[in-house]
Amino acid sequence: MSAIPDVLELHVHRHLVSHIVVGRDAWDRFLQRLTAEPTPTAVVTHPSIVETFPDLAATVRRLPDVHLLTWPEGEATKSWDSLRDLLDELFRLGFRRDARLVAWGGGVLGDLVGLAAALYMRGIHLWHVPTTLTAQTDSAIGGKTAVDTPFGKNLVGTFYPAEFVWVDPHFLMTLPEVAFRDGMGEVIKYAFLIGEPFLSWLEASTADLQRRDPEALETMARTCAAYKVRVVQADEQDWGMRQWLNLGHTVGHALEAMADYRGLTHGEAVLWGLVAEGLVACRRVGLKTIYLDRLHRLIEAWGGLRPLPTWDETRFWQALELDKKQRHGTVGFRLPLLVEPGRVEVVEDVSLDLLRQALVEAGLITGR
Ligand code: GLY
């Protein structure tokens, strides 16, 4: 018998191609596929979506073996309790490993449903039908799933990409103004990540986007999705290039945690983060101030930044320590910084002093 080595290697992969379908026919294509590939399916959505799109909900309800489940809205729904309730519901429905979960809603719902799909019987089929700007351009793509814990947001989760993400810009046409503006925080981030010609296109398309021109919405969604696909393809597990997508989020997440997720939206927090981290970038990686000026002009075009609801410096720094990019035993903060539109560098050792100085200059620390 040949000797068996003492260290055996088992190469494991989840063989999956995640299809991101972007277009104004995406909902129809979703229904076609749902019908063509029947398997027990739960489409999880919110009561507000059923109210806004009663015909679509009725169509889903009529499909054989498809259950429409309505789930509460808001960040509080991304909890352990909610996850357990959803899993219990799938047991009650008698789902097996060939079942399918569909998240029809925004990013919060997508994170929760994605985690439930990853955990139920160690993984069932998952599709997303994102309805918000944030979910269409960012969170539904790339497989991040999560629930929040008392220690922070998104600290428990998996990478579990959906087999299909159906991005239909029609959903953006009826999105409430506050939610649309919130999503623009991420889109403005994407504009600086992607660089030209998207940055100039976004600047020139403000009016079209503000009147929700379908073609402009589709261009925006498709461009952001294509960029995200490229980044996740290069670094699915978020150890390198995917951290570029966190531009503005290190400060942004800490601001949200400091405010107990009340009184400012995620998009607003990201924009404050882009401004503060942009100032750090000017000092550490040579970002030209003309790009900060363009950032400010875009922010103004979308209504400007409201003052923070609260400022608690101790809580801010505590929250920053919990940022998932930070590593044990390092000095300073790890931050993706914009070098120029289209180019990011992850800097390992941004000092507290430099970050603090940027927060003062951005107007976040006012000496209160
Ligand atoms: N939203 C950032 C990411 O998916 O990595």
mmCIF file of all heavy atoms in Angstrom, residues 138-139 141 144 189 228 238 242 245-246, ligand 1:
data_model
loop_
_atom_site.group_PDB
_atom_site.id
_atom_site.type_symbol
_atom_site.label_atom_id
_atom_site.label_comp_id
_atom_site.label_asym_id
_atom_site.label_seq_id
_atom_site.Cartn_x
_atom_site.Cartn_y
_atom_site.Cartn_z
ATOM 1 N N ASP A 138 -25.185 47.510 -5.136
ATOM 2 C CA ASP A 138 -24.129 47.036 -4.243
ATOM 3 C C ASP A 138 -24.477 45.746 -3.505
ATOM 4 O O ASP A 138 -23.945 44.680 -3.799
ATOM 5 C CB ASP A 138 -23.790 48.153 -3.233
ATOM 6 C CG ASP A 138 -22.568 47.827 -2.417
ATOM 7 O OD1 ASP A 138 -21.495 47.684 -3.016
ATOM 8 O OD2 ASP A 138 -22.687 47.682 -1.191
ATOM 9 N N SER A 139 -25.432 45.823 -2.553
ATOM 10 C CA SER A 139 -25.475 44.741 -1.559
ATOM 11 C C SER A 139 -25.978 43.402 -2.079
ATOM 12 O O SER A 139 -25.630 42.362 -1.527
ATOM 13 C CB SER A 139 -26.288 45.178 -0.340
ATOM 14 O OG SER A 139 -27.630 45.414 -0.692
ATOM 15 N N ILE A 141 -25.168 42.030 -4.795
ATOM 16 C CA ILE A 141 -24.148 41.395 -5.644
ATOM 17 C C ILE A 141 -22.936 41.024 -4.789
ATOM 18 O O ILE A 141 -22.453 41.842 -4.003
ATOM 19 C CB ILE A 141 -23.717 42.384 -6.767
ATOM 20 C CG1 ILE A 141 -24.939 42.801 -7.588
ATOM 21 C CG2 ILE A 141 -22.632 41.771 -7.647
ATOM 22 C CD1 ILE A 141 -24.713 44.030 -8.441
ATOM 23 N N LYS A 144 -22.448 38.826 0.213
ATOM 24 C CA LYS A 144 -22.344 39.087 1.653
ATOM 25 C C LYS A 144 -23.720 38.908 2.300
ATOM 26 O O LYS A 144 -24.719 39.413 1.791
ATOM 27 C CB LYS A 144 -21.824 40.497 1.924
ATOM 28 C CG LYS A 144 -20.328 40.597 1.705
ATOM 29 C CD LYS A 144 -19.751 41.892 2.235
ATOM 30 C CE LYS A 144 -18.248 41.917 2.056
ATOM 31 N NZ LYS A 144 -17.655 43.222 2.397
ATOM 32 N N LYS A 189 -19.984 57.057 -4.220
ATOM 33 C CA LYS A 189 -18.766 56.287 -3.907
ATOM 34 C C LYS A 189 -18.291 55.531 -5.154
ATOM 35 O O LYS A 189 -17.125 55.580 -5.528
ATOM 36 C CB LYS A 189 -19.053 55.312 -2.766
ATOM 37 C CG LYS A 189 -17.917 54.335 -2.495
ATOM 38 C CD LYS A 189 -18.366 53.092 -1.737
ATOM 39 C CE LYS A 189 -19.004 52.059 -2.659
ATOM 40 N NZ LYS A 189 -19.336 50.797 -1.987
ATOM 41 N N LYS A 228 -18.789 46.118 -9.601
ATOM 42 C CA LYS A 228 -18.788 45.255 -8.420
ATOM 43 C C LYS A 228 -18.458 43.811 -8.801
ATOM 44 O O LYS A 228 -17.721 43.121 -8.099
ATOM 45 C CB LYS A 228 -20.131 45.323 -7.693
ATOM 46 C CG LYS A 228 -20.163 44.399 -6.497
ATOM 47 C CD LYS A 228 -20.665 44.986 -5.254
ATOM 48 C CE LYS A 228 -20.431 44.043 -4.085
ATOM 49 N NZ LYS A 228 -21.249 44.324 -2.941
ATOM 50 N N ASP A 238 -12.895 39.249 0.437
ATOM 51 C CA ASP A 238 -12.700 40.547 1.085
ATOM 52 C C ASP A 238 -11.385 40.693 1.855
ATOM 53 O O ASP A 238 -11.351 41.299 2.930
ATOM 54 C CB ASP A 238 -13.883 40.780 2.055
ATOM 55 C CG ASP A 238 -14.184 42.254 2.235
ATOM 56 O OD1 ASP A 238 -13.558 43.084 1.562
ATOM 57 O OD2 ASP A 238 -15.037 42.583 3.074
ATOM 58 N N ARG A 242 -11.512 43.883 -2.673
ATOM 59 C CA ARG A 242 -12.917 44.130 -2.308
ATOM 60 C C ARG A 242 -13.016 45.219 -1.243
ATOM 61 O O ARG A 242 -14.052 45.868 -1.117
ATOM 62 C CB ARG A 242 -13.576 42.827 -1.832
ATOM 63 C CG ARG A 242 -15.071 42.971 -1.651
ATOM 64 C CD ARG A 242 -15.780 41.645 -1.576
ATOM 65 N NE ARG A 242 -17.207 41.853 -1.399
ATOM 66 C CZ ARG A 242 -18.125 40.925 -1.526
ATOM 67 N NH1 ARG A 242 -17.774 39.692 -1.833
ATOM 68 N NH2 ARG A 242 -19.407 41.202 -1.345
ATOM 69 N N LEU A 245 -14.275 48.704 -1.985
ATOM 70 C CA LEU A 245 -15.709 49.043 -1.920
ATOM 71 C C LEU A 245 -16.068 49.673 -0.582
ATOM 72 O O LEU A 245 -17.156 50.203 -0.401
ATOM 73 C CB LEU A 245 -16.565 47.792 -2.131
ATOM 74 C CG LEU A 245 -16.363 47.039 -3.437
ATOM 75 C CD1 LEU A 245 -17.174 45.748 -3.442
ATOM 76 C CD2 LEU A 245 -16.762 47.902 -4.625
ATOM 77 N N ASN A 246 -15.145 49.564 0.357
ATOM 78 C CA ASN A 246 -15.366 50.146 1.675
ATOM 79 C C ASN A 246 -14.943 51.611 1.746
ATOM 80 O O ASN A 246 -14.903 52.200 2.825
ATOM 81 C CB ASN A 246 -14.571 49.341 2.702
ATOM 82 C CG ASN A 246 -15.479 48.714 3.718
ATOM 83 O OD1 ASN A 246 -15.481 49.110 4.862
ATOM 84 N ND2 ASN A 246 -16.311 47.802 3.285
HETATM 85 N N1 GLY B 1 -20.750 46.289 0.191
HETATM 86 C C1 GLY B 1 -19.395 45.999 0.097
HETATM 87 C C2 GLY B 1 -19.093 44.614 -0.347
HETATM 88 O O1 GLY B 1 -19.948 43.910 -0.815
HETATM 89 O O2 GLY B 1 -17.982 44.201 -0.230
#
